[in-house]
Amino acid sequence: MQDNDQSGGKSASGLPILEAALQTAVGAVVIIDDGGIMRTVNPAVAKLFGYAQEELIGQNVSMLMPEPYRSRHDGYIRHHLETGERKIIGIGRQVMGRRKSGQIFPIHLSVSAFESEGRRYFTGIIVDLSDTHTSSNGLGEAQLIQAIFNYLPDAVLVVDGNGKVMLCNPAVARVFGYAPEELIGQSKSILYHDPEEYARMQALEANIAEQPVLEPRTVRYRRKSGEPFHAETIVSVLKDQSGRFTGLISLNRDISKQVVQDEALRKSQRMEAIGQLTGGIAHDFNNLLTIITGNHELLEMELQTDEQRELLARANNAALMGARLTNRLLTFARRRRLDPVVLNLNEQVLGMAELLRRTLGESIALGTLLAPGLWSVRTDPSEVENAVLNLAINSRDAMPAGGKLVIETRNVVLDERDVANEVGVEPGEYVRLSVSDTGLGMSPEVLSRVFEPFFTTKEPGKGTGLGLSVIYGFVKQSGGHVTVYSEPGRGTTVNLYLPRVRAVGEWAATAKQAAAAEAATGETILLVEDNPDVRKVTARRLEHLGYRVLEAESGMRAIEMLKGGAEVDLLFSDVVMPGGVSGFDLARWVKANMPSVHVLLTSGFADDIARAGETPAPELEILRKPYSGTELAAALRAALEAS
């Protein structure tokens, strides 16, 4: 068969009888080439879809289908041409069509293939199923099912007996990051976090004949971007009309956010349980120490010699040390009475400067970054001093060869998004006190346990493991919270958030400032972050602020995108990234090659720590992690408006 000359649907076959049969057939018949272009359509097709024949000839047949059938059709044709598989050939199936008016309706489609002059063509025979699928209320059953399939928020996958994807709904793009046509014909193994997880699910599905529907299970998947995530998956068996097994259908709900929140809740509950246990033990132990020290006092009156009194003094000193230990345990359990007063943390830090310098020694440089106009807090000053001193000692021990320690204060505003994954933390205004060092840093495993009492990585005799746990208890009892940021080999930052105390009448001004800071004018930001989870949440925050976002997982990838013509207004990059290109390196490249692009860097450390070992670049702003939505908005506007 030759290509049609687009003369009203006349076939170039030169066979008048066949042409007449085609043009007068009651059934709708369309012939397309291997590119999906309609070469011949009969009047029944035009009538069925509401077009004139000349409007269809030369157009892609996918115009007659809604999504996901539009994309799926192209995938089927491409897969057939590449592999020779004939699963779409000679098999009738129910799909959905789209009329010129936009109406979606059910059709039955049968496809056959033939060759002419070395080129592949396909014939489609279409039957309108609207009348047979219309229920009493006028809503087509097939249309209803298709609408549910198309608009279900969870990803639906239909796979054959070999694990190849035969069908999927549009939600796979949101959940897995793949367009439907990218998945059809592919093995579903590409969706799993690793081969072990795929093998685990395969083993479960092997026995599905005995249990037609598997109980919901949490499965580890990986998005097209490489980002791992958890989904709740329900799998059911598919059978044909004769009862033969044809494949599996699965419903996959993204629960990655829920997993993070559940982990935060488990951590909070674990710390609460440890606190209750610790508080109970400390209370009982204090009672025992009261008995011991009371009897010591009575015994002292009966002693006759200095040697006897010296022995008693040693015993009493040990009991007093035990009392101090129980007080620290009670602080962790939030059962020790605090003596809060309204104070300025800048004054507290400045008052401790000399003590800290003596504690740290000459090999460690002490720096401070104290915010002007710092808000007041209401807390126990002795506990603040104890916290800063404990953190400084931990930092000193983590820098045996020397280094730098920076104490920083800052006003921060946390909104609902900032505290979404923190149990028991309220949005609002806080003062952040941060202690950063250039020490050894901590692994994720150690980080997950740093607040547990008696947990320590120090050698026996060099630490009780109570320092951070006591700080945690004191801050929680003060209505705040604590976060720790650490990178092995780069150092650690501990952030203490204490609620602001202020006079009545100041709320309106702060709210107005926060609203003004969030104003965006549609600029494009290139986000550079190697951690996929951090990159994902940061991109969402930027989009929420009104910016258009491009993403890069490394400095080299960002440079490639910029060289390739990506138009951006601002580069927002992490400082520390793998691949040999740091945020500072990237900023220098942008300044040398694209000076019109503004730059904002971010790091979990204070400026001085983040710049350690880097060529001085005082003009570059560094936004401290973790930052609130208001801080992010203000820093972006300041960077974009900088000259």
Side-chain angles (χ1 to χ4, degrees), residues 245-274:
F245 172 81
T246 60
L248 301 173
I249 181 171
S250 65
L251 185 74
N252 306 274
R253 173 168 297 172
D254 185 350
I255 58 169
S256 51
K257 184 176 181 180
Q258 178 185 330
V259 168
V260 172
Q261 292 173 338
D262 288 349
E263 177 58 32
L265 179 60
R266 281 193 294 270
K267 179 181 176 181
S268 175
Q269 290 173 335
R270 183 174 71 248
M271 296 301 291
E272 187 66 30
I274 293 174

Side-chain angles (χ1 to χ4, degrees), residues 526-530 535 550-554 557-558 561 577:
L526 175 55
L527 170 63
V528 190
E529 169 63 61
D530 62 290
R535 188 169 65 249
L550 303 177
E551 299 179 33
E553 68 278 5
S554 68
R557 176 57 183 155
M561 292 173 66
M577 291 182 294

Side-chain angles (χ1 to χ4, degrees), residues 73 76 87-89 91-95 107-111:
H73 169 269
Y76 281 144
K87 63 181 180 180
I88 69 164
I89 306 301
I91 300 176
R93 64 185 187 278
Q94 182 177 312
V95 296
I107 59 176
H108 183 275
L109 174 65
S110 298
V111 180

Side-chain angles (χ1 to χ4, degrees), residues 102-383:
Q103 180 189 5
I104 307 299
F105 67 107
I107 59 176
H108 183 275
L109 174 65
S110 298
V111 180
S112 60
F114 65 94
E115 289 189 8
S116 178
E117 299 181 356
R119 189 168 183 181
R120 196 78 166 167
Y121 294 88
F122 301 89
T123 301
I125 300 175
I126 305 167
V127 179
D128 185 1
L129 299 180
S130 299
D131 293 338
T132 60
H133 285 72
T134 301
S135 62
S136 58
N137 62 5
L139 181 64
E141 178 184 348
Q143 291 172 284
L144 177 61
I145 294 172
Q146 185 63 37
I148 294 172
F149 183 79
N150 284 345
Y151 296 106
L152 195 69
D154 303 325
V156 179
L157 294 168
V158 178
V159 300
D160 62 18
N162 297 318
K164 286 188 177 181
V165 179
M166 298 189 297
L167 188 65
C168 52
N169 69 338
V172 298
R174 181 184 59 80
V175 176
F176 291 101
Y178 291 92
E181 61 269 22
E182 292 181 286
L183 285 180
I184 291 175
Q186 298 287 335
S187 170
K188 68 172 182 176
S189 61
I190 65 172
L191 301 175
Y192 287 84
H193 179 270
D194 49 44
E196 290 75 20
E197 186 73 348
Y198 176 58
R200 181 178 75 90
M201 285 304 295
Q202 287 287 87
L204 291 171
E205 292 169 0
N207 300 320
I208 198 169
E210 302 172 6
Q211 184 182 358
V213 179
L214 289 180
E215 292 294 326
R217 296 180 183 275
T218 300
V219 182
R220 292 178 300 157
Y221 290 110
R222 187 176 297 277
R223 303 189 211 276
K224 183 181 179 181
S225 63
E227 175 194 355
F229 73 102
H230 289 83
E232 184 180 70
T233 297
I234 301 175
V235 182
S236 179
V237 68
L238 290 177
K239 297 181 180 180
D240 61 18
Q241 293 180 344
S242 62
R244 291 181 303 175
F245 172 81
T246 60
L248 301 173
I249 181 171
S250 65
L251 185 74
N252 306 274
R253 173 168 297 172
D254 185 350
I255 58 169
S256 51
K257 184 176 181 180
Q258 178 185 330
V259 168
V260 172
Q261 292 173 338
D262 288 349
E263 177 58 32
L265 179 60
R266 281 193 294 270
K267 179 181 176 181
S268 175
Q269 290 173 335
R270 183 174 71 248
M271 296 301 291
E272 187 66 30
I274 293 174
Q276 291 178 2
L277 176 63
T278 303
I281 293 173
H283 177 75
D284 292 343
F285 194 39
N286 260 350
N287 287 338
L288 294 175
L289 289 171
T290 300
I291 296 171
I292 293 171
T293 55
N295 279 283
H296 283 170
E297 183 180 335
L298 295 173
L299 181 60
E300 187 178 13
M301 293 184 244
E302 305 295 329
L303 299 180
Q304 302 295 323
T305 68
D306 291 339
E307 182 180 2
Q308 290 173 332
R309 292 190 182 92
E310 183 180 350
L311 292 173
L312 180 63
R314 291 177 184 174
N316 204 47
N317 285 337
L320 292 175
M321 289 178 63
R324 286 194 291 272
L325 175 62
T326 56
N327 273 337
R328 298 178 75 185
L329 292 174
L330 287 171
T331 300
F332 166 73
R334 288 170 264 170
R335 295 189 185 182
R336 194 171 76 82
R337 183 178 177 274
L338 300 180
D339 296 313
V341 297
V342 176
L343 54 86
N344 185 295
L345 292 183
N346 283 350
E347 297 174 2
Q348 288 288 109
V349 173
L350 290 173
M352 296 184 65
E354 187 58 35
L355 171 62
L356 291 172
R357 287 190 177 92
R358 290 199 305 268
T359 302
L360 294 172
E362 296 181 357
S363 64
I364 296 176
L366 173 65
T368 57
L369 294 170
L370 306 181
L374 193 68
W375 297 332
S376 297
V377 298
R378 181 178 176 82
T379 190
D380 190 326
S382 64
E383 291 295 341

Side-chain angles (χ1 to χ4, degrees), residues 500-561:
R500 177 189 183 181
V501 174
R502 61 178 173 177
V504 178
E506 297 179 18
W507 294 95
T510 303
K512 186 179 294 183
Q513 292 172 358
E518 292 192 8
T521 55
E523 294 93 342
T524 298
I525 295 178
L526 175 55
L527 170 63
V528 190
E529 169 63 61
D530 62 290
N531 185 307
D533 293 329
V534 176
R535 188 169 65 249
K536 175 185 175 183
V537 70
T538 304
R540 287 184 177 177
R541 295 175 82 177
L542 293 173
E543 290 168 351
H544 179 80
L545 291 172
Y547 295 100
R548 178 173 174 264
V549 182
L550 303 177
E551 299 179 33
E553 68 278 5
S554 68
M556 283 303 301
R557 176 57 183 155
I559 291 175
E560 290 173 3
M561 292 173 66

